[in-house]
Amino acid sequence: MTDHAPQSPAPGTEFSVAADSESAGPTATTVEDFRTNLAAVRARLEAAAAACGRDASGIRLLPVSKTVPEERLRAAFAAGITEMGENKVQEAKRKSENLAELGIRWALIGHLQTNKAKDAAVFADEFHALDSMRLAEALDRRLQAVGRGLDVYVQVNSSGEESKFGLEPDEVPGFLEQVRACSSLRVRGLMTLAAHTQDTERVRECFRLMRELRDAGLQAGTVGDGQLSMGMSGDFELAIEGGSTCVRVGQAIFGARQYGYDHYWPEGQPRA
Ligand SMILES: *Cc1c(COP(=O)(O)O)cnc(C)c1O
């Protein structure tokens, strides 16, 4: 396993959480725009990794393309973006069908209702928001029916915010034991959305909790290769400091979305 143990950032490098209004890069439409934004995000990722003594090659950048229309996804693909994260199954399925010839790898990263497991099973390459046995069993059944497997990340509510999906931290060890029975699901690790605040200590605390749960899962042999899917446009440097192995980045690559965070987390407040 790669060394995920984070160090404090080097002196003079203090990471912070961006306000929502400052999380987005310029809107990318052309291939050139995407190259520019992608290079800027990669530079941030590499700087964050270097600052806490991590090898950037152990940190995956998952571009999040939700709400972005297909024409722009073609440009993104031409700029080298070959995997995309989506948080609504219907939108993701439509995109996967209409862009099928590109061979994009689709990651479902948002809450999935059990009755949508069938849709997800036919096209998703990975799923980052597994949060109940009912859903795990529904996915397993549907995957077996179509002869597919699925990489999954178990979502944890690390912030205690009511608007967040995910298992409560104390439910995680038992869930990981139980989900072993679903043979089509390959558990790769854990996923979270940190507290939606600019208070860096609170955000750090979420990532620290995730690392502890992951380490316990590695000890128990229940958490696959122990990946940690955490960090988004506004907080991915802190997530890297906290041991993230997969940052899910939308607005810093694609540009500001039409809908703000309150569209996805209705009870949440914006990061001021
Ligand atoms: C939208 C979304 C992201 C990316 O958020 P950005 O602020 O656009 O980087 C990450 N994870 C999940 C689950 C999301 O829904």
Side-chain angles (χ1 to χ4, degrees), residues 23 64 66 87 109-110 191 193 231-234 248-252 257 261 264-265:
S23 295
V64 175
K66 67 190 185 200
N87 79 335
I109 61 174
M191 175 273 209
L193 290 152
M232 40 212 287
S233 294
R248 310 176 308 267
V249 178
Q251 298 187 89
R257 279 187 300 273
Y261 284 87
Y264 297 98
W265 298 292

Side-chain angles (χ1 to χ4, degrees), residues 156-166 168 193-198 202-203 206 265 267-269 271:
V156 182
N157 181 356
S158 61
S159 66
E161 290 173 354
E162 276 181 25
S163 56
K164 297 288 202 304
F165 291 109
E168 293 308 313
L193 290 152
H196 197 231
T197 169
Q198 284 189 273
R202 263 207 77 201
V203 172
C206 296
W265 298 292
E267 300 153 53
Q269 294 295 315
R271 276 170 176 158

Side-chain angles (χ1 to χ4, degrees), residues 185-198:
L185 303 181
R186 294 180 294 261
V187 174
R188 299 295 311 276
L190 305 177
M191 175 273 209
T192 203
L193 290 152
H196 197 231
T197 169
Q198 284 189 273

Side-chain angles (χ1 to χ4, degrees), residues 98-122:
N98 294 344
L99 301 172
E101 79 280 7
L102 301 182
I104 291 166
R105 184 180 162 86
W106 296 99
L108 275 178
I109 61 174
H111 181 70
L112 185 66
Q113 290 175 324
T114 306
N115 62 9
K116 304 272 173 63
K118 185 179 182 182
D119 291 326
V122 296

Side-chain angles (χ1 to χ4, degrees), residues 181-262:
C182 299
S183 58
S184 310
L185 303 181
R186 294 180 294 261
V187 174
R188 299 295 311 276
L190 305 177
M191 175 273 209
T192 203
L193 290 152
H196 197 231
T197 169
Q198 284 189 273
D199 177 345
T200 53
E201 268 319 304
R202 263 207 77 201
V203 172
R204 275 202 179 97
E205 191 50 47
C206 296
F207 297 142
R208 195 175 301 133
L209 174 63
M210 293 298 290
R211 217 162 56 237
E212 286 171 13
L213 291 170
R214 189 274 315 271
D215 290 347
L218 283 174
Q219 285 272 317
T222 53
V223 77
D225 52 351
Q227 305 291 317
L228 284 175
S229 169
M230 53 193 204
M232 40 212 287
S233 294
D235 64 9
F236 74 77
E237 281 98 344
L238 273 171
I240 287 170
E241 177 201 303
S244 174
T245 64
C246 175
V247 294
R248 310 176 308 267
V249 178
Q251 298 187 89
I253 296 175
F254 290 87
R257 279 187 300 273
Q258 188 180 351
Y259 299 108
Y261 284 87
D262 53 348

